[in-house]
Amino acid sequence: MENIHHHHCQHQHQQHHHPAAETDEAAMAELLDLDAEVMHSYLSEVTAWIQELATDPLPRRILDLGSGTGTGAFALLERFERADAIALDVSAQLLDHLRGKARVLGVADRVRTVQADLDAAWPAIDTVDLVWASLSLHHMADPDRILTEVFAALHPGGLLVVVEMDSFPRFLPDDLGIGRPGLEARCHAALAEGRAADVPHLGSDWHSRLSRAGFTIEAERPFATDLTPPLPASTGRYAQASLRRIRSNLDGRMSADDLATLDTLIDSDGPDGILRRDDLTVRTARSVWVARRP
């Protein structure tokens, strides 16, 4: 996950082996799982749509590229009951977490994990019928090379599903009752300043990139989420984890007053803490491209 803003990603990032990184990976796993819970209806809608497009023949081997905690892989295994999945991620800790979830869900025999840093080399895996790349391609140093590798890994007629985020989740009302109104908008503006340098491929023209790699674009669709109360039970924790994720990148980019308000929201057990608020919403948008290898 990039260090300047907070996609809830099935992510590719550098592997670390010190305590802070371990804690960071645990926080990431929690965030990805909460994202799956709160965004369940979106995921269900997307995979139902893919099921309509991926018919002849039905996919038997699925690759989840930058799998994180396996949200995409598990949702697709539910749709394609005779399929197996390969979950590929750079993080050993997230893959371990994913294997634990596979056991709980009763699909351990249908999931294989592969630890690989795709910026270094494409791993040796057999050809597949469907590749799911959710919020992962923009993290790659060279997405065009990765798309060429994906093209080669797909059977002719196979599908690649690319999901990218149009807008980061927003949760808060404009006037929080504490601090100056517009806090969340200022947070997102501050994060945007560093984004171009840190994540240059975010917001790419994926349609053109897919075409250049040899794919035929089958379909392209926006999926907007606008959840209002009553919200899923885990929404408060999802909002807290999301804001906590971006907080460390805001030092020096926002006023001391704004940062203090944000800290109160994230950490307070009191009435102003995000877990106690009853005025949260979840607003975000993702775009999905479905591309076929001719």
Side-chain angles (χ1 to χ4, degrees):
M1 179 148 314
E2 60 270 32
N3 60 4
I4 213 65
H5 67 294
H6 76 308
H7 273 180
H8 305 314
C9 311
Q10 282 84 331
H11 68 313
Q12 289 285 339
H13 63 71
Q14 296 310 303
Q15 189 61 44
H16 308 285
H17 294 291
H18 48 77
E22 293 291 310
T23 311
D24 192 54
E25 300 269 287
M28 173 62 71
E30 182 191 25
L31 180 56
L32 292 172
D33 284 347
L34 287 168
D35 180 80
E37 280 179 50
V38 175
M39 301 287 284
H40 176 78
S41 55
Y42 145 78
L43 195 60
S44 179
E45 203 181 332
V46 174
T47 54
W49 181 52
I50 294 166
Q51 193 176 22
E52 288 168 22
L53 295 170
T55 50
D56 188 30
L58 287 175
R60 297 298 296 268
R61 305 196 62 203
I62 296 167
L63 172 63
D64 187 348
L65 199 67
S67 55
T69 56
T71 299
F74 296 132
L76 289 165
L77 287 179
E78 222 174 295
R79 295 284 179 198
F80 300 106
E81 292 174 357
R82 298 181 65 191
D84 293 329
I86 299 164
L88 189 155
D89 202 279
V90 70
S91 164
Q93 191 174 346
L94 289 183
L95 290 173
D96 188 53
H97 182 89
L98 184 152
R99 285 190 292 271
K101 280 176 65 179
R103 287 192 293 274
V104 170
L105 293 169
V107 293
D109 58 330
R110 297 172 63 197
V111 179
R112 181 163 76 84
T113 58
V114 175
Q115 186 187 356
D117 178 357
L118 294 184
D119 288 340
W122 186 263
I125 48 176
D126 294 334
T127 50
V128 296
D129 309 307
L130 176 65
V131 176
W132 168 265
S134 176
L135 312 180
S136 56
L137 282 175
H138 67 264
H139 289 286
M140 310 294 175
D142 184 356
D144 295 320
R145 179 180 66 78
I146 301 299
L147 288 174
T148 305
E149 298 277 17
V150 169
F151 187 90
L154 273 168
H155 279 300
L159 291 182
L160 163 62
V161 181
V162 173
V163 182
E164 287 288 331
M165 200 173 279
D166 302 336
S167 67
F168 310 127
R170 296 184 183 229
F171 306 98
L172 304 171
D174 188 60
D175 188 351
L176 293 163
I178 53 169
R180 195 157 58 91
L183 174 70
E184 194 166 36
R186 288 193 296 282
C187 287
H188 287 283
L191 292 168
E193 285 176 22
R195 200 178 299 147
D198 283 21
V199 200
H201 305 302
L202 191 65
S204 277
D205 179 355
W206 294 105
H207 191 291
S208 298
R209 289 192 139 167
L210 289 162
S211 298
R212 278 203 305 275
F215 288 98
T216 305
I217 311 291
E218 292 278 304
E220 183 180 333
R221 257 181 76 179
F223 286 83
T225 297
D226 189 355
L227 304 179
T228 53
L231 296 166
S234 46
T235 302
R237 287 189 298 127
Y238 177 55
Q240 183 186 46
S242 300
L243 292 173
R244 190 169 278 156
R245 180 105 205 137
I246 65 172
R247 170 62 183 87
S248 57
N249 300 310
L250 292 171
D251 283 322
R253 294 176 183 267
M254 296 181 74
S255 72
D257 287 350
D258 273 350
L259 292 176
T261 304
L262 190 57
D263 289 338
T264 298
L265 277 169
I266 294 171
D267 297 320
S268 167
D269 289 331
D272 296 322
I274 204 158
L275 295 179
R276 304 284 286 277
R277 299 188 73 97
D278 59 6
D279 56 359
L280 298 180
T281 55
V282 182
R283 309 180 301 284
T284 188
R286 298 176 188 188
S287 288
V288 183
W289 292 262
V290 179
R292 193 178 297 276
R293 174 177 172 169

